[in-house]
mmCIF file of all heavy atoms in Angstrom:
data_model
loop_
_atom_site.group_PDB
_atom_site.id
_atom_site.type_symbol
_atom_site.label_atom_id
_atom_site.label_comp_id
_atom_site.label_asym_id
_atom_site.label_seq_id
_atom_site.Cartn_x
_atom_site.Cartn_y
_atom_site.Cartn_z
ATOM 1 N N VAL A 1 1.293 -23.564 0.936
ATOM 2 C CA VAL A 1 2.372 -23.271 -0.009
ATOM 3 C C VAL A 1 1.792 -22.914 -1.372
ATOM 4 O O VAL A 1 2.182 -21.921 -1.991
ATOM 5 C CB VAL A 1 3.349 -24.469 -0.105
ATOM 6 C CG1 VAL A 1 4.364 -24.241 -1.212
ATOM 7 C CG2 VAL A 1 4.031 -24.714 1.227
ATOM 8 N N GLU A 2 0.839 -23.721 -1.823
ATOM 9 C CA GLU A 2 0.205 -23.440 -3.116
ATOM 10 C C GLU A 2 -0.495 -22.082 -3.087
ATOM 11 O O GLU A 2 -0.459 -21.328 -4.057
ATOM 12 C CB GLU A 2 -0.800 -24.541 -3.482
ATOM 13 C CG GLU A 2 -0.163 -25.872 -3.829
ATOM 14 C CD GLU A 2 0.158 -26.720 -2.604
ATOM 15 O OE1 GLU A 2 -0.071 -26.288 -1.456
ATOM 16 O OE2 GLU A 2 0.674 -27.836 -2.802
ATOM 17 N N LYS A 3 -1.120 -21.769 -1.965
ATOM 18 C CA LYS A 3 -1.824 -20.487 -1.831
ATOM 19 C C LYS A 3 -0.829 -19.330 -1.938
ATOM 20 O O LYS A 3 -1.083 -18.351 -2.642
ATOM 21 C CB LYS A 3 -2.563 -20.421 -0.492
ATOM 22 C CG LYS A 3 -3.323 -19.150 -0.285
ATOM 23 C CD LYS A 3 -4.043 -19.123 1.061
ATOM 24 C CE LYS A 3 -4.714 -17.795 1.264
ATOM 25 N NZ LYS A 3 -5.260 -17.620 2.587
ATOM 26 N N LYS A 4 0.308 -19.458 -1.265
ATOM 27 C CA LYS A 4 1.323 -18.396 -1.321
ATOM 28 C C LYS A 4 1.883 -18.255 -2.733
ATOM 29 O O LYS A 4 2.114 -17.141 -3.213
ATOM 30 C CB LYS A 4 2.452 -18.676 -0.326
ATOM 31 C CG LYS A 4 2.055 -18.548 1.115
ATOM 32 C CD LYS A 4 1.673 -17.122 1.428
ATOM 33 C CE LYS A 4 1.317 -16.969 2.895
ATOM 34 N NZ LYS A 4 0.811 -15.637 3.203
ATOM 35 N N ILE A 5 2.098 -19.379 -3.412
ATOM 36 C CA ILE A 5 2.590 -19.324 -4.789
ATOM 37 C C ILE A 5 1.561 -18.654 -5.691
ATOM 38 O O ILE A 5 1.895 -17.808 -6.522
ATOM 39 C CB ILE A 5 2.954 -20.738 -5.301
ATOM 40 C CG1 ILE A 5 4.195 -21.250 -4.561
ATOM 41 C CG2 ILE A 5 3.179 -20.731 -6.810
ATOM 42 C CD1 ILE A 5 4.512 -22.692 -4.840
ATOM 43 N N THR A 6 0.301 -19.000 -5.508
ATOM 44 C CA THR A 6 -0.772 -18.390 -6.295
ATOM 45 C C THR A 6 -0.845 -16.887 -6.037
ATOM 46 O O THR A 6 -0.983 -16.092 -6.977
ATOM 47 C CB THR A 6 -2.127 -19.048 -5.963
ATOM 48 O OG1 THR A 6 -2.033 -20.447 -6.235
ATOM 49 C CG2 THR A 6 -3.250 -18.452 -6.780
ATOM 50 N N GLU A 7 -0.718 -16.494 -4.787
ATOM 51 C CA GLU A 7 -0.736 -15.067 -4.454
ATOM 52 C C GLU A 7 0.441 -14.346 -5.105
ATOM 53 O O GLU A 7 0.292 -13.235 -5.627
ATOM 54 C CB GLU A 7 -0.699 -14.873 -2.935
ATOM 55 C CG GLU A 7 -1.989 -15.267 -2.241
ATOM 56 C CD GLU A 7 -1.867 -15.247 -0.714
ATOM 57 O OE1 GLU A 7 -0.765 -14.949 -0.188
ATOM 58 O OE2 GLU A 7 -2.877 -15.526 -0.055
ATOM 59 N N ALA A 8 1.608 -14.982 -5.096
ATOM 60 C CA ALA A 8 2.785 -14.369 -5.708
ATOM 61 C C ALA A 8 2.603 -14.226 -7.218
ATOM 62 O O ALA A 8 2.950 -13.193 -7.798
ATOM 63 C CB ALA A 8 4.034 -15.190 -5.388
ATOM 64 N N VAL A 9 2.053 -15.257 -7.855
ATOM 65 C CA VAL A 9 1.815 -15.199 -9.305
ATOM 66 C C VAL A 9 0.783 -14.125 -9.621
ATOM 67 O O VAL A 9 0.946 -13.366 -10.595
ATOM 68 C CB VAL A 9 1.372 -16.585 -9.834
ATOM 69 C CG1 VAL A 9 0.868 -16.490 -11.265
ATOM 70 C CG2 VAL A 9 2.523 -17.582 -9.737
ATOM 71 N N ASP A 10 -0.257 -14.020 -8.819
ATOM 72 C CA ASP A 10 -1.262 -12.973 -9.027
ATOM 73 C C ASP A 10 -0.651 -11.584 -8.895
ATOM 74 O O ASP A 10 -0.949 -10.684 -9.695
ATOM 75 C CB ASP A 10 -2.416 -13.130 -8.031
ATOM 76 C CG ASP A 10 -3.285 -14.350 -8.324
ATOM 77 O OD1 ASP A 10 -3.166 -14.914 -9.433
ATOM 78 O OD2 ASP A 10 -4.066 -14.749 -7.426
ATOM 79 N N ALA A 11 0.194 -11.414 -7.905
ATOM 80 C CA ALA A 11 0.855 -10.118 -7.723
ATOM 81 C C ALA A 11 1.753 -9.805 -8.922
ATOM 82 O O ALA A 11 1.785 -8.665 -9.403
ATOM 83 C CB ALA A 11 1.663 -10.112 -6.424
ATOM 84 N N LEU A 12 2.450 -10.805 -9.411
ATOM 85 C CA LEU A 12 3.305 -10.621 -10.581
ATOM 86 C C LEU A 12 2.477 -10.270 -11.812
ATOM 87 O O LEU A 12 2.858 -9.408 -12.607
ATOM 88 C CB LEU A 12 4.132 -11.888 -10.826
ATOM 89 C CG LEU A 12 5.181 -11.815 -11.912
ATOM 90 C CD1 LEU A 12 6.175 -10.699 -11.641
ATOM 91 C CD2 LEU A 12 5.900 -13.144 -12.031
ATOM 92 N N ASP A 13 1.326 -10.904 -11.957
ATOM 93 C CA ASP A 13 0.424 -10.583 -13.074
ATOM 94 C C ASP A 13 0.003 -9.121 -13.030
ATOM 95 O O ASP A 13 -0.049 -8.446 -14.059
ATOM 96 C CB ASP A 13 -0.819 -11.474 -13.050
ATOM 97 C CG ASP A 13 -0.558 -12.879 -13.562
ATOM 98 O OD1 ASP A 13 0.481 -13.089 -14.220
ATOM 99 O OD2 ASP A 13 -1.399 -13.765 -13.294
ATOM 100 N N LYS A 14 -0.296 -8.622 -11.838
ATOM 101 C CA LYS A 14 -0.701 -7.223 -11.694
ATOM 102 C C LYS A 14 0.423 -6.288 -12.109
ATOM 103 O O LYS A 14 0.188 -5.275 -12.764
ATOM 104 C CB LYS A 14 -1.133 -6.934 -10.260
ATOM 105 C CG LYS A 14 -2.460 -7.549 -9.897
ATOM 106 C CD LYS A 14 -2.839 -7.261 -8.455
ATOM 107 C CE LYS A 14 -4.119 -7.983 -8.071
ATOM 108 N NZ LYS A 14 -4.483 -7.768 -6.677
ATOM 109 N N VAL A 15 1.643 -6.636 -11.709
ATOM 110 C CA VAL A 15 2.795 -5.817 -12.087
ATOM 111 C C VAL A 15 2.949 -5.804 -13.605
ATOM 112 O O VAL A 15 3.181 -4.755 -14.214
ATOM 113 C CB VAL A 15 4.084 -6.335 -11.400
ATOM 114 C CG1 VAL A 15 5.322 -5.687 -11.990
ATOM 115 C CG2 VAL A 15 4.011 -6.109 -9.902
ATOM 116 N N VAL A 16 2.814 -6.962 -14.221
ATOM 117 C CA VAL A 16 2.962 -7.062 -15.675
ATOM 118 C C VAL A 16 1.860 -6.269 -16.378
ATOM 119 O O VAL A 16 2.113 -5.599 -17.378
ATOM 120 C CB VAL A 16 2.960 -8.547 -16.119
ATOM 121 C CG1 VAL A 16 2.852 -8.677 -17.625
ATOM 122 C CG2 VAL A 16 4.198 -9.252 -15.600
ATOM 123 N N GLU A 17 0.649 -6.314 -15.840
ATOM 124 C CA GLU A 17 -0.457 -5.572 -16.441
ATOM 125 C C GLU A 17 -0.225 -4.062 -16.361
ATOM 126 O O GLU A 17 -0.569 -3.324 -17.282
ATOM 127 C CB GLU A 17 -1.774 -5.911 -15.737
ATOM 128 C CG GLU A 17 -2.320 -7.275 -16.072
ATOM 129 C CD GLU A 17 -3.564 -7.620 -15.264
ATOM 130 O OE1 GLU A 17 -4.150 -6.714 -14.634
ATOM 131 O OE2 GLU A 17 -3.943 -8.804 -15.248
ATOM 132 N N LYS A 18 0.349 -3.606 -15.273
ATOM 133 C CA LYS A 18 0.552 -2.171 -15.077
ATOM 134 C C LYS A 18 1.856 -1.677 -15.689
ATOM 135 O O LYS A 18 2.080 -0.472 -15.755
ATOM 136 C CB LYS A 18 0.530 -1.839 -13.582
ATOM 137 C CG LYS A 18 -0.838 -1.996 -12.969
ATOM 138 C CD LYS A 18 -0.853 -1.564 -11.523
ATOM 139 C CE LYS A 18 -2.248 -1.709 -10.944
ATOM 140 N NZ LYS A 18 -2.324 -1.222 -9.576
ATOM 141 N N ALA A 19 2.709 -2.560 -16.132
ATOM 142 C CA ALA A 19 4.023 -2.172 -16.654
ATOM 143 C C ALA A 19 3.936 -1.173 -17.808
ATOM 144 O O ALA A 19 4.649 -0.165 -17.783
ATOM 145 C CB ALA A 19 4.820 -3.403 -17.059
ATOM 146 N N PRO A 20 3.093 -1.394 -18.814
ATOM 147 C CA PRO A 20 3.039 -0.411 -19.912
ATOM 148 C C PRO A 20 2.637 0.986 -19.438
ATOM 149 O O PRO A 20 3.236 1.979 -19.853
ATOM 150 C CB PRO A 20 1.982 -0.989 -20.867
ATOM 151 C CG PRO A 20 1.977 -2.455 -20.585
ATOM 152 C CD PRO A 20 2.268 -2.571 -19.114
ATOM 153 N N GLU A 21 1.659 1.049 -18.550
ATOM 154 C CA GLU A 21 1.213 2.342 -18.023
ATOM 155 C C GLU A 21 2.336 3.017 -17.237
ATOM 156 O O GLU A 21 2.582 4.216 -17.384
ATOM 157 C CB GLU A 21 -0.005 2.132 -17.114
ATOM 158 C CG GLU A 21 -0.553 3.394 -16.498
ATOM 159 C CD GLU A 21 -1.721 3.112 -15.568
ATOM 160 O OE1 GLU A 21 -2.467 2.143 -15.810
ATOM 161 O OE2 GLU A 21 -1.873 3.854 -14.605
ATOM 162 N N THR A 22 3.028 2.239 -16.437
ATOM 163 C CA THR A 22 4.131 2.777 -15.645
ATOM 164 C C THR A 22 5.256 3.263 -16.553
ATOM 165 O O THR A 22 5.828 4.331 -16.326
ATOM 166 C CB THR A 22 4.653 1.701 -14.668
ATOM 167 O OG1 THR A 22 3.579 1.271 -13.838
ATOM 168 C CG2 THR A 22 5.772 2.238 -13.808
ATOM 169 N N LEU A 23 5.547 2.492 -17.582
ATOM 170 C CA LEU A 23 6.601 2.897 -18.519
ATOM 171 C C LEU A 23 6.231 4.179 -19.252
ATOM 172 O O LEU A 23 7.091 5.028 -19.500
ATOM 173 C CB LEU A 23 6.884 1.773 -19.517
ATOM 174 C CG LEU A 23 7.594 0.553 -18.935
ATOM 175 C CD1 LEU A 23 7.678 -0.555 -19.976
ATOM 176 C CD2 LEU A 23 8.971 0.917 -18.431
ATOM 177 N N GLU A 24 4.963 4.340 -19.590
ATOM 178 C CA GLU A 24 4.519 5.573 -20.244
ATOM 179 C C GLU A 24 4.720 6.767 -19.321
ATOM 180 O O GLU A 24 5.177 7.826 -19.755
ATOM 181 C CB GLU A 24 3.045 5.479 -20.639
ATOM 182 C CG GLU A 24 2.796 4.624 -21.857
ATOM 183 C CD GLU A 24 1.317 4.525 -22.206
ATOM 184 O OE1 GLU A 24 0.547 5.425 -21.832
ATOM 185 O OE2 GLU A 24 0.936 3.533 -22.850
ATOM 186 N N LYS A 25 4.375 6.585 -18.044
ATOM 187 C CA LYS A 25 4.560 7.684 -17.089
ATOM 188 C C LYS A 25 6.031 8.037 -16.958
ATOM 189 O O LYS A 25 6.403 9.210 -16.916
ATOM 190 C CB LYS A 25 3.993 7.289 -15.718
ATOM 191 C CG LYS A 25 2.491 7.264 -15.678
ATOM 192 C CD LYS A 25 1.996 6.857 -14.304
ATOM 193 C CE LYS A 25 0.488 6.768 -14.265
ATOM 194 N NZ LYS A 25 -0.004 6.321 -12.960
ATOM 195 N N VAL A 26 6.873 7.025 -16.893
ATOM 196 C CA VAL A 26 8.309 7.264 -16.771
ATOM 197 C C VAL A 26 8.834 7.938 -18.027
ATOM 198 O O VAL A 26 9.669 8.842 -17.961
ATOM 199 C CB VAL A 26 9.058 5.936 -16.497
ATOM 200 C CG1 VAL A 26 10.553 6.110 -16.600
ATOM 201 C CG2 VAL A 26 8.689 5.398 -15.124
ATOM 202 N N ALA A 27 8.335 7.524 -19.180
ATOM 203 C CA ALA A 27 8.781 8.112 -20.441
ATOM 204 C C ALA A 27 8.360 9.574 -20.548
ATOM 205 O O ALA A 27 9.084 10.396 -21.125
ATOM 206 C CB ALA A 27 8.224 7.320 -21.619
ATOM 207 N N ASP A 28 7.205 9.924 -19.986
ATOM 208 C CA ASP A 28 6.723 11.300 -20.030
ATOM 209 C C ASP A 28 7.405 12.194 -18.996
ATOM 210 O O ASP A 28 7.333 13.419 -19.097
ATOM 211 C CB ASP A 28 5.203 11.344 -19.794
ATOM 212 C CG ASP A 28 4.420 10.775 -20.967
ATOM 213 O OD1 ASP A 28 4.997 10.684 -22.072
ATOM 214 O OD2 ASP A 28 3.235 10.424 -20.779
ATOM 215 N N ALA A 29 8.052 11.617 -18.020
ATOM 216 C CA ALA A 29 8.644 12.396 -16.926
ATOM 217 C C ALA A 29 9.652 13.441 -17.406
ATOM 218 O O ALA A 29 9.592 14.589 -16.960
ATOM 219 C CB ALA A 29 9.262 11.470 -15.883
ATOM 220 N N PRO A 30 10.576 13.112 -18.307
ATOM 221 C CA PRO A 30 11.530 14.146 -18.740
ATOM 222 C C PRO A 30 10.840 15.337 -19.406
ATOM 223 O O PRO A 30 11.227 16.480 -19.169
ATOM 224 C CB PRO A 30 12.435 13.406 -19.731
ATOM 225 C CG PRO A 30 12.344 11.976 -19.331
ATOM 226 C CD PRO A 30 10.933 11.799 -18.839
ATOM 227 N N GLN A 31 9.827 15.074 -20.214
ATOM 228 C CA GLN A 31 9.109 16.173 -20.874
ATOM 229 C C GLN A 31 8.418 17.047 -19.842
ATOM 230 O O GLN A 31 8.474 18.276 -19.916
ATOM 231 C CB GLN A 31 8.090 15.605 -21.874
ATOM 232 C CG GLN A 31 7.254 16.666 -22.563
ATOM 233 C CD GLN A 31 8.094 17.616 -23.400
ATOM 234 O OE1 GLN A 31 9.084 17.226 -23.985
ATOM 235 N NE2 GLN A 31 7.696 18.870 -23.456
ATOM 236 N N LYS A 32 7.775 16.441 -18.867
ATOM 237 C CA LYS A 32 7.099 17.212 -17.821
ATOM 238 C C LYS A 32 8.107 18.009 -17.010
ATOM 239 O O LYS A 32 7.843 19.159 -16.639
ATOM 240 C CB LYS A 32 6.280 16.286 -16.923
ATOM 241 C CG LYS A 32 5.069 15.715 -17.624
ATOM 242 C CD LYS A 32 4.267 14.791 -16.739
ATOM 243 C CE LYS A 32 3.096 14.218 -17.508
ATOM 244 N NZ LYS A 32 2.318 13.267 -16.747
ATOM 245 N N ALA A 33 9.259 17.416 -16.745
ATOM 246 C CA ALA A 33 10.301 18.126 -16.003
ATOM 247 C C ALA A 33 10.773 19.348 -16.787
ATOM 248 O O ALA A 33 10.974 20.427 -16.207
ATOM 249 C CB ALA A 33 11.470 17.196 -15.707
ATOM 250 N N MET A 34 10.936 19.203 -18.091
ATOM 251 C CA MET A 34 11.348 20.336 -18.920
ATOM 252 C C MET A 34 10.289 21.443 -18.915
ATOM 253 O O MET A 34 10.628 22.629 -18.881
ATOM 254 C CB MET A 34 11.631 19.877 -20.352
ATOM 255 C CG MET A 34 12.874 19.014 -20.481
ATOM 256 S SD MET A 34 14.374 19.810 -19.884
ATOM 257 C CE MET A 34 14.539 21.134 -21.042
ATOM 258 N N GLU A 35 9.030 21.054 -18.939
ATOM 259 C CA GLU A 35 7.959 22.050 -18.892
ATOM 260 C C GLU A 35 7.994 22.821 -17.577
ATOM 261 O O GLU A 35 7.839 24.047 -17.559
ATOM 262 C CB GLU A 35 6.602 21.367 -19.085
ATOM 263 C CG GLU A 35 6.400 20.825 -20.487
ATOM 264 C CD GLU A 35 5.165 19.935 -20.615
ATOM 265 O OE1 GLU A 35 4.425 19.776 -19.627
ATOM 266 O OE2 GLU A 35 4.962 19.389 -21.710
#
């Protein structure tokens, strides 16, 4: 159980770390679409 919780927290950490990069890509999408 502890191992599964640790794995879930690690996965969540990865999502949080990548969130700014993902948001930047999403924010740039309308400009790229217009181009």
